[in-house]
Amino acid sequence: MDRIDLFRIFARVVECASFTRAADTLAMPRSSVSAAVIDLEARVGARLLHRTTRKVSPTQDGAAFYERCLRLIADVEDAENLFRQTSVGPTGTLRIDVPGRIGRLVIAPALPDFLARHPQLDIELRVTDRAVNLVEESVDCVLRVGPLGDSGLIARKIGDLPLINVASPGYLARHGTPGAPADLGEHLAVNYASPSTGRVEDWEWIEDGEMRTRAMRSRVTVNSAEAYIACCLAGLGLIQIPAYDVKSHLETDELVEVMPNYQAEPMPMALLYPHRQHLSRRLHVFADWLEMLLKREIL
């Protein structure tokens, strides 16, 4: 096994914090992964990993060596692709994970144009609103909407997604139309629970330059955007939703915007990937295309 392969295996073990998970993502026997790390430690003359029955983590030397490995791997990949990029363009399969509604309404309809531009590049499109472990699930990048936690991933900000308040005409006919947050005590909302944490989101709005919140009365709580919109269409309450998500319903008067002067703060949208050094040619061209698409269609 050559040195760059040892570097790649070691980096994957660090990212997965497990020999077994690293072996699975590399489609290698666990024994081969373990032997490769032992070989690398012997070559560099230092212990690179702390090993316990539950977790593998880099030593101080290992952490410094890991960062150097990423740069070396990136340099080798750049050299290997130097002439291939200009002659045939990006190749291979790109695995991406995106929120369900954005994937269905925006990205999927536009993919024929992207694939026509890059005939040797294939897309594996996954749609989910849950947190995804990119390394363990062999995903190249994820598109996420909302505040980002400290995931250790590189984030490429795409923009801020505007939110609006809407209700169905039937709901408004029964309950009246709220004009300001002071009216919300007389209204129901469709509550939204985070699919990852289960926490029910408060109603939010910006007033006098400050973010304000309140818990809303509700008869129904959902944990998906599809159910959120469906319950609003059924007249079960007010919702706060990205404007693009309900554009067609507003155009057909199935939903009506309310309290336009008291909207929630726009939600940040970002493309996440493991390491800047691993920004492959195929990921680079996809990220550029996706940013242009989203800014044109929904931002």
Side-chain angles (χ1 to χ4, degrees):
M1 189 176 296
D2 65 31
R3 214 167 302 178
I4 195 64
D5 288 331
L6 295 179
F7 293 165
R8 288 188 173 113
I9 293 170
F10 168 70
R12 187 59 58 87
V13 172
V14 171
E15 291 161 356
C16 290
S18 163
F19 284 101
T20 300
R21 287 197 293 270
D24 289 341
T25 66
L26 292 167
M28 295 176 62
R30 185 191 183 284
S31 58
S32 299
V33 171
S34 179
V37 173
I38 293 172
D39 184 10
L40 184 59
E41 289 179 322
R43 292 191 185 211
V44 301
R47 186 174 180 82
L48 300 176
L49 296 173
H50 293 298
R51 300 161 173 86
T52 70
T53 56
R54 292 187 174 184
K55 189 176 181 180
V56 176
S57 60
T59 63
Q60 184 174 355
D61 289 336
F65 188 71
Y66 169 70
E67 296 299 328
R68 184 64 63 88
C69 278
L70 293 180
R71 293 196 292 271
L72 291 171
I73 292 168
D75 287 343
V76 169
E77 290 177 350
D78 286 345
E80 290 174 342
N81 293 326
L82 183 63
F83 303 107
R84 187 184 310 154
Q85 292 173 8
T86 58
S87 60
V88 299
T91 62
T93 299
L94 188 65
R95 298 172 179 85
I96 64 173
D97 187 278
V98 301
R101 301 266 310 165
I102 293 178
R104 182 172 69 82
L105 298 177
V106 181
I107 296 176
L111 273 181
D113 170 66
F114 177 78
L115 295 175
R117 295 186 197 181
H118 305 287
Q120 293 183 291
L121 184 59
D122 297 327
I123 296 292
E124 186 175 307
L125 179 64
R126 308 178 184 187
V127 291
T128 177
D129 294 315
R130 67 175 176 82
V132 172
N133 186 308
L134 277 74
V135 175
E136 291 185 16
E137 300 183 42
S138 299
V139 176
D140 295 299
C141 64
V142 297
L143 179 69
R144 285 295 170 258
V145 177
L148 300 175
D150 184 15
S151 64
L153 301 172
I154 302 300
R156 172 173 172 167
K157 184 171 181 179
I158 302 295
D160 293 311
L161 194 60
L163 298 174
I164 60 175
N165 312 308
V166 299
S168 72
Y171 172 87
L172 298 177
R174 292 191 302 273
H175 299 275
T177 300
D183 301 331
L184 290 175
E186 305 300 319
H187 285 271
L188 295 170
V190 177
N191 276 344
Y192 182 84
S194 166
S196 56
T197 67
R199 186 177 71 86
V200 174
E201 307 289 347
D202 286 339
W203 192 272
E204 299 181 351
W205 71 95
I206 298 175
E207 186 174 358
D208 298 328
E210 295 183 3
M211 172 64 73
R212 306 194 179 182
T213 66
R214 68 167 293 160
M216 291 287 292
R217 291 188 305 122
S218 179
R219 299 290 306 279
V220 61
T221 299
V222 301
N223 67 349
S224 77
E226 296 286 352
Y228 195 47
I229 296 169
C231 288
C232 185
L233 287 166
L236 292 172
L238 309 168
I239 64 171
Q240 295 185 305
I241 193 82
Y244 84 90
D245 253 329
V246 291
K247 180 181 178 182
S248 63
H249 299 301
L250 292 171
E251 290 173 347
T252 58
D253 297 323
E254 294 175 287
L255 293 176
V256 178
E257 183 177 5
V258 298
M259 296 190 299
N261 296 324
Y262 299 96
Q263 296 177 345
E265 188 173 24
M267 299 177 69
M269 179 185 296
L271 190 68
L272 308 180
Y273 49 90
H275 296 284
R276 195 179 308 276
Q277 292 90 344
H278 286 181
L279 189 59
S280 64
R281 172 66 174 167
R282 57 180 176 267
L283 179 52
H284 180 77
V285 299
F286 177 79
D288 287 347
W289 173 82
L290 181 63
E291 182 172 0
M292 291 180 60
L293 173 68
L294 296 177
K295 285 182 175 179
R296 184 179 73 239
E297 298 293 331
I298 66 177
L299 296 179

